[in-house]
Amino acid sequence: MNKPAASDQKVLLSVRNLTIQVPVGNGTCNLVDDVSFDIMESEVFALVGESGSGKSLTMMAVLGLLPLPLRMTQGTIVLRGQELTELDFNGMRQVRGKKMAIVFQDPMTALNPVIRVGKQVDEAIRLHNPGLSAKQIRARGIELFRQVGIPNPEQRYDQFPNEFSGGMRQRVVIAIAMANEPDLLIADEPTTALDVTIQAQVMDVLREVRERTGAAMILISHDLGLVAEHADRIGVLYSGSLVETGTTEQVFGAPQHPYTAGLIASLPRVDQKVDRLYSIPGFVPAPDKRPKGCAFSTRCEMSRDRDACTHARPTLRSMPEGRHSACHYAEETESWAKAQAAARVVLDEVDDSALRQAAEPILSVQDLQKEFDVSRGFLGRRAKMKALRGISFDILKGRTLGLVGESGCGKSTLARVLLRLMEASGGQVMLNGKPLLTMQGSALRSARRNLQVVFQDPYSSLDPRMTVHDIIAEPMRIHDCYDAARVNELLAHVGLGPEALLRRPGQFSGGQRQRIAIARALALQPDVLILDEAVSALDVSIQAQVINLLRDLQAEFGLTYVFISHDLSVVRHISDDVAVMYLGRIIEYGSVREVFENPEHPYTQALLSAIPRHHVPEAERGERILLAGDLPNPLSPPSGCAFRSRCRHAVASCAQSEPELIERTRPHHQSACLRAEELSNPAKLAS
Amino acid sequence: MLSRLSFSGYFALLMLVLTLLFIFGVTMLPSYDPYGQNLAAGLLPPGGSSFDGRYYLLGTDQLGRDMLSRLALAGQVSFAIGAGAVMVSLVIGVTLGLIAGYFRGPVEMVIMGLADLQLSIPRILLLIVMAAILGPSPWMLAVILGITSWVAYGRVARGMALSLREREFVLAARAQGSTATWNIRKHLLPNVLPQMMIVGSYEFGQIVVMEASLSYLGLGVQPPLPSWGMMVSEGQTYLELAPYLAVLPSIALFVLVASLQFLSQAFTSENDSVDLPERIKG
């Protein structure tokens, strides 16, 4: 396949027919299959795909770092005219770090915890500049620290990684990657492990350092929103093959492959609520079990039954405007995607917050407190960490409360306190009109039947040694009401066949495991389900399936959800009410439409502005609010308003007392900001 | 990947079966009396024949006893003591370790304090005292050796329980109203058992050697009943003259321990997703 580059730009990296194999049994299996793409000088090229699509392997191959037993069996990788696959180890070493550098996903493991961060930067500089003196290297390192926005670089240079927050560590990793001003920066999920507001900071740093040196970047990500905002061109990988390439606007505006179209359609949007999300059926096939013909054919709703799709493997072919697509019927994608979008009903949200006041809540939380004893320092001086402070909310039967916040805001602690997995330090929780926190013994046991939980990690939430049948039956066995027929029924409710019953969790994908966890949570017919980041670990297409399932189950059984998430788009889609948490407190609370459309608290405003809006043209996206700094240390929060230290609207009075969570401008919409009235009205603020 | 693991698993299983067949089979076949002395035919090398024309496949020891049948009989004794002791220590260690790791707090402090206390006393001293009190029958030996070696299991089980108790499937069960006993029995125990078997296979070798040390002091298996450990220590005296006396039981012990170890490892990695704590990884 030959792919002409846009004529006015020079090709920096050219990958052709890259194939990566792994031995399976007696044969081999292609994990990456005939992938070709070009990267131009100074551009950001995004490789997008779900887990198992081969996006990280492709980059490992480019760096020459494929782990055994994987082998690159075919293909060429040319960087500025130099063929990389023919280089020996020493030749490759000259390229790595100097011409190409990588930023890994997890800043917590990318740095060596026992070496000062400065030394780790020095090392990167020294490798390719053996002539520099120690003093010069240090000066260069500190300069790099300054460039990536680390405050007090001289002092921080001699600190250890554990003295840095996640966002700051990622800056150090970027400094190391940029140490020798590489031509190509490979960023492998650079912000996936970070919070939304920190994510925005890090992407900003990446953009700045690239602009300074003119480096091109390969952005590997599963996050379509992030890609939409930061990439110039996109390559979409599915099951080891490139299925579509094009500029960001082209791909998001009018996708030419049904997989891309499906992925985009399955993203919830923050500006509207639809009756159900589009979800790509099924799941990504294992590399050795790809269907004949088009690998996507079994999941494709556009052309699954046509002969060409099930028999002939489509190759990436040129489309108008320099685009490429690997679909036999690429030309039909646009109209299909439009029809899909039209089929979705945008829900008309009525403001029913008045109802909230009138009816009897099924779960009512009042002034909930949780403190942890933390010993600090050598002498074990005791300190109290206030993880939850004065949490109050009500949920009506059959409704969903979204709990939003960054890591460390206390949302998971709240879930555990509600589940009585941790004891509260104060406050009251009424479940069905009965006080939950003071219950003991058999009363507690029976109350627990009404309050169940689905956790985030589908790999840790199922006992690997139990069969699916035993997992779903466990709650019934605990309560002596085991019924084999009920297990089958539950499995059917979550969309799995009875053949799953005797298998163990190891044989299921993340989405299927999460369905099993949901079936287990429903076993005792609970009234309230706490969903603690229940869809956060899932791939986009699977996430939409599980969200739809949750909504169906809610409609069918009248379930009440407490939906804890850091993903505001998902919360917008699934919730009726929303509470935004910051440092252990709710700082804004109201109906989801109220809070999302008229945010009063500057923190909520910042969170909302940080959501990538792939569906809005770049010009109309509005101002991006970048929050400065990290979450304050919860052991010594700022006086007065806890958000004051990061708030761009903070005034002197913010430091005096903590603002209460009360209605400030509109009925049934509470916020904890002194300046809520001005801030919710931009015109007033300007004057 | 799976097929490769199964291969080493099958190989280990084969070796184990062959070893056990040897141990229990030889004494059933028409062979020489393991106790029968033939002083005229002492220290015959393997394959040697005595003056009266008797053929010894594995030679004879210093008293002219047939090594083949002694090796088998000693194998029975060592296997019984090793298996018995491992069983006793595994039950004690896993129970205490899981309880300590699941409940934390004062319970953990008492149990782990006990473990440290026991480790601070030389094991041989404990063994001597207990053996002197309880007497040296093979079964008593198994119990004594078991009681003094639970700490290895206890520590690993506690370590794993510490992480397992925070795993979400245990939290989910607690949220459903399960009791501590339920969680320990249904979730913790099945997840630590494979690792305990690995620890057990390491310990098995240790126990057999430990039994030999006791025999040295006259507190182990009483002669003329042989054990592998005892044969090794007796054979040491003749290491230059007749190396096979110590080498043969050593090989037998090695094969048994190695096959047990490989088997438990293959068993673990085939249907496992709970990680071993770093420090006991091979």
Side-chain angles (χ1 to χ4, degrees):
Chain A
M1 190 210 65
N2 220 347
K3 206 179 77 175
S7 53
D8 57 329
Q9 275 178 308
K10 278 171 69 183
V11 177
L12 171 67
L13 177 82
S14 171
V15 174
R16 284 286 170 277
N17 310 100
L18 179 72
T19 301
I20 299 173
Q21 280 187 343
V22 65
V24 177
N26 296 323
T28 57
C29 161
N30 289 357
L31 292 182
V32 172
D33 195 2
D34 200 23
V35 165
S36 304
F37 58 88
D38 286 326
I39 290 161
M40 309 300 151
E41 299 277 357
S42 308
E43 81 167 348
V44 179
F45 181 79
L47 271 180
V48 192
E50 294 178 280
S51 39
S53 61
K55 52 191 193 301
S56 291
L57 284 183
T58 306
M59 282 311 101
M60 289 311 226
V62 169
L63 285 165
L65 292 175
L66 275 183
L68 284 172
L70 303 186
R71 258 175 1 104
M72 188 179 145
T73 50
Q74 195 197 340
T76 58
I77 300 167
V78 178
L79 181 73
R80 287 239 171 105
Q82 189 180 22
E83 171 61 59
L84 297 186
T85 49
E86 285 163 7
L87 288 178
D88 61 359
F89 183 76
N90 274 323
M92 202 60 204
R93 255 184 26 163
Q94 294 306 314
V95 175
R96 287 200 281 254
K98 177 98 185 132
K99 293 182 178 163
M100 292 189 290
I102 185 160
V103 174
F104 286 107
Q105 172 173 359
D106 189 356
M108 297 296 163
T109 56
L111 294 173
N112 187 334
V114 296
I115 300 179
R116 295 176 197 278
V117 289
K119 270 198 98 169
Q120 304 189 43
V121 181
D122 288 351
E123 202 174 87
I125 302 171
R126 189 176 296 115
L127 268 175
H128 294 282
N129 301 286
L132 289 184
S133 71
K135 221 173 168 182
Q136 286 168 311
I137 289 176
R138 187 186 165 88
R140 168 92 180 106
I142 289 172
E143 172 58 25
L144 281 166
F145 263 36
R146 198 167 283 127
Q147 285 173 12
V148 296
I150 296 175
N152 304 323
E154 281 91 355
Q155 284 112 56
R156 305 222 69 177
Y157 207 68
D158 294 319
Q159 290 182 333
F160 286 97
N162 66 338
E163 294 172 83
F164 285 66
S165 67
M168 282 297 154
R169 284 187 210 197
Q170 198 64 312
R171 287 170 196 251
V172 175
V173 175
I174 293 171
I176 293 173
M178 296 308 290
N180 297 296
E181 308 203 336
D183 302 323
L184 178 63
L185 189 62
I186 297 174
D188 188 356
E189 305 265 10
T191 60
T192 307
L194 305 174
D195 278 318
V196 200
T197 57
I198 307 298
Q199 173 175 324
Q201 291 175 5
V202 168
M203 288 313 292
D204 222 42
V205 169
L206 274 175
R207 186 178 48 74
E208 272 170 34
V209 293
R210 275 196 324 102
E211 275 172 7
R212 197 187 312 269
T213 63
M217 176 161 85
I218 302 183
L219 178 64
I220 298 172
S221 183
H222 70 284
D223 184 343
L224 289 171
L226 183 85
V227 164
E229 214 149 290
H230 296 279
D232 302 317
R233 286 196 310 126
I234 295 179
V236 182
L237 277 166
Y238 181 76
S239 190
S241 304
L242 208 52
V243 296
E244 175 165 6
T245 64
T247 67
T248 307
E249 272 147 45
Q250 288 169 343
V251 171
F252 279 94
Q256 295 291 317
H257 192 284
Y259 174 62
T260 322
L263 276 188
I264 295 170
S266 54
L267 285 178
R269 282 169 56 164
V270 77
D271 61 339
Q272 63 176 18
K273 200 170 192 169
V274 293
D275 58 340
R276 59 188 295 119
L277 293 170
Y278 176 75
S279 70
I280 302 174
F283 48 93
V284 184
D288 53 342
K289 297 196 180 74
R290 285 187 199 123
K292 267 190 194 152
C294 175
F296 187 60
S297 59
T298 49
R299 303 180 70 192
C300 181
E301 294 195 311
M302 188 174 92
S303 48
R304 64 195 323 180
D305 296 326
R306 291 188 238 186
D307 265 4
C309 299
T310 48
H311 289 96
R313 190 84 190 266
T315 51
L316 204 60
R317 61 189 168 102
S318 292
M319 306 280 294
E321 299 170 51
R323 311 179 58 175
H324 293 81
S325 167
C327 174
H328 294 301
Y329 303 100
E331 288 77 6
E332 293 173 24
T333 313
E334 209 175 328
S335 57
W336 177 80
K338 286 218 172 85
Q340 280 301 326
R344 275 174 291 164
V345 182
V346 177
L347 292 182
D348 189 25
E349 293 168 85
V350 283
D351 186 25
D352 52 2
S353 41
L355 195 109
R356 207 165 59 213
Q357 250 78 354
E360 186 68 25
I362 191 163
L363 181 70
S364 170
V365 176
Q366 281 140 35
D367 196 29
L368 195 62
Q369 313 276 346
K370 174 70 192 172
E371 287 176 353
F372 290 104
D373 281 328
V374 190
S375 55
R376 293 165 98 181
F378 250 141
L379 299 171
R381 194 155 48 89
R382 288 271 158 175
K384 289 222 186 295
M385 191 189 93
K386 294 182 172 165
L388 295 177
R389 296 179 296 145
I391 302 285
S392 303
F393 57 81
D394 292 332
I395 313 177
L396 299 185
K397 186 163 175 55
R399 288 170 67 95
T400 303
L401 172 75
L403 272 173
V404 184
E406 294 176 281
S407 52
C409 75
K411 52 193 197 301
S412 287
T413 307
L414 176 58
R416 284 169 195 217
V417 169
L418 289 180
L419 289 162
R420 290 284 306 265
L421 296 175
M422 278 178 186
E423 292 304 315
S425 315
Q428 212 178 32
V429 175
M430 306 291 273
L431 178 66
N432 286 323
K434 290 182 202 136
L436 179 71
L437 295 183
T438 50
M439 278 185 198
Q440 290 301 337
S442 61
L444 176 62
R445 263 168 71 90
S446 63
R448 282 193 144 139
R449 303 180 63 148
N450 293 325
L451 187 65
Q452 285 298 311
V453 62
V454 178
F455 288 107
Q456 168 173 11
D457 184 0
Y459 292 89
S460 148
S461 60
L462 307 179
D463 190 331
R465 303 214 163 266
M466 284 185 163
T467 62
V468 170
H469 179 274
D470 286 343
I471 288 169
I472 300 178
E474 188 185 12
M476 294 184 258
R477 288 190 169 131
I478 289 172
H479 288 274
D480 286 324
C481 55
Y482 171 67
D483 175 5
R486 172 97 179 118
V487 175
N488 296 336
E489 189 186 309
L490 284 163
L491 201 64
H493 279 318
V494 296
L496 290 175
E499 71 282 354
L501 285 173
L502 292 177
R503 297 200 280 168
R504 283 171 214 276
Q507 292 168 275
F508 295 92
S509 67
Q512 290 171 317
R513 286 167 182 235
Q514 210 60 327
R515 286 169 190 264
I516 296 166
I518 293 171
R520 173 180 61 189
L522 293 178
L524 299 171
Q525 295 172 306
D527 299 322
V528 180
L529 208 52
I530 295 181
L531 303 160
D532 187 358
E533 301 271 9
V535 298
S536 308
L538 306 176
D539 278 321
V540 185
S541 71
I542 306 299
Q543 178 176 311
Q545 289 175 4
V546 175
I547 291 173
N548 285 339
L549 172 69
L550 287 172
R551 294 197 56 152
D552 292 344
L553 291 170
Q554 182 168 42
E556 194 173 341
F557 302 112
L559 292 169
T560 308
Y561 290 152
V562 178
F563 190 89
I564 298 173
S565 180
H566 67 279
D567 187 332
L568 282 98
S569 314
V570 174
V571 167
R572 167 80 166 118
H573 177 70
I574 202 167
S575 309
D576 300 298
D577 297 317
V578 64
V580 184
M581 288 181 73
Y582 187 78
L583 229 56
R585 270 190 91 203
I586 294 179
I587 51 100
E588 187 150 4
Y589 176 44
S591 78
V592 73
R593 180 164 153 217
E594 254 303 309
V595 172
F596 276 59
E597 285 177 11
N598 307 301
E600 289 177 2
H601 198 285
Y603 179 63
T604 316
Q605 292 172 352
L607 281 183
L608 285 170
S609 92
I611 302 173
R613 286 160 206 254
H614 58 91
H615 47 84
V616 182
E618 206 168 338
E620 295 162 35
R621 274 179 200 154
E623 189 207 1
R624 188 77 182 263
I625 306 168
L626 261 190
L627 281 188
D630 289 316
L631 211 62
N633 182 353
L635 284 171
S636 50
S639 66
C641 173
F643 183 61
R644 161 175 79 87
S645 57
R646 299 172 76 191
C647 181
R648 55 182 190 158
H649 302 298
V651 291
S653 55
C654 294
Q656 275 155 20
S657 65
E658 187 147 47
E660 281 176 85
L661 181 70
I662 48 170
E663 287 173 12
R664 289 185 188 264
T665 58
R666 304 160 73 95
H668 314 304
H669 181 164
Q670 303 178 335
S671 65
C673 177
L674 291 176
R675 303 183 66 195
E677 205 174 329
E678 307 163 62
L679 295 181
S680 61
N681 188 342
K684 234 180 195 171
L685 189 68
S687 61
Chain B
M1 193 104 118
L2 205 96
S3 59
R4 215 171 19 167
L5 279 174
S6 310
F7 175 74
S8 82
Y10 281 127
F11 183 73
L13 188 65
L14 184 73
M15 293 311 291
L16 183 65
V17 169
L18 286 179
T19 315
L20 291 180
L21 265 181
F22 169 76
I23 290 174
F24 292 101
V26 166
T27 49
M28 283 179 209
L29 296 171
S31 56
Y32 298 124
D33 174 11
Y35 301 116
Q37 302 184 0
N38 183 358
L39 289 174
L43 297 179
L44 279 179
S49 301
S50 65
F51 299 115
D52 49 3
R54 301 165 103 187
Y55 177 76
Y56 294 96
L57 182 65
L58 294 181
T60 59
D61 69 0
Q62 69 278 11
L63 296 176
R65 292 176 294 197
D66 175 35
M67 277 299 282
L68 179 67
S69 50
R70 268 185 85 73
L71 205 58
L73 179 65
Q76 290 174 15
V77 174
S78 288
F79 185 79
I81 291 178
V86 164
M87 210 76 91
V88 170
S89 53
L90 195 141
V91 169
I92 301 176
V94 170
T95 312
L96 291 181
L98 290 184
I99 289 175
Y102 185 81
F103 288 103
R104 315 274 337 246
V107 182
E108 184 184 21
M109 270 168 65
V110 170
I111 291 177
M112 294 333 279
L114 201 68
D116 290 338
L117 187 72
Q118 184 168 326
L119 283 184
S120 67
I121 305 170
R123 192 159 157 198
I124 194 76
L125 200 68
L126 272 178
L127 285 171
I128 291 171
V129 172
M130 292 176 79
I133 295 170
L134 295 169
S137 86
W139 294 114
M140 246 342 140
L141 271 177
V143 172
I144 293 167
L145 286 163
I147 291 176
T148 53
S149 55
W150 68 274
V151 177
Y153 307 87
R155 291 209 151 168
V156 177
R158 167 182 163 269
M160 292 185 69
L162 285 182
S163 87
L164 283 167
R165 74 192 288 273
E166 303 294 335
R167 292 282 287 264
E168 291 170 343
F169 56 81
V170 177
L171 293 182
R174 281 173 62 199
Q176 285 147 3
S178 64
T179 57
T181 331
W182 176 282
N183 290 335
I184 291 177
R185 230 180 55 218
K186 300 274 178 179
H187 292 297
L188 268 53
L189 185 61
N191 277 298
V192 300
L193 266 188
Q195 274 71 25
M196 291 301 115
M197 285 172 57
I198 292 186
V199 178
S201 62
Y202 283 104
E203 287 284 306
F204 187 89
Q206 291 246 327
I207 297 245
V208 174
V209 174
M210 194 57 82
E211 184 272 324
S213 323
L214 279 184
S215 303
Y216 234 42
L217 300 166
L219 292 165
V221 174
Q222 296 299 305
L225 196 63
S227 73
W228 281 345
M230 200 204 244
M231 287 175 77
V232 174
S233 59
E234 277 180 11
Q236 280 171 8
T237 329
Y238 301 93
L239 210 52
E240 283 177 41
L241 203 60
Y244 59 93
L245 286 188
V247 169
L248 285 175
S250 300
I251 292 176
L253 183 58
F254 169 77
V255 171
L256 181 61
V257 171
S259 59
L260 279 171
Q261 215 156 335
F262 278 120
L263 194 65
S264 48
Q265 245 156 20
F267 179 76
T268 315
S269 35
E270 258 175 47
N271 49 44
D272 182 43
S273 61
V274 176
D275 287 331
L276 284 171
E278 276 308 319
R279 68 205 142 80
I280 64 158
K281 258 181 197 165

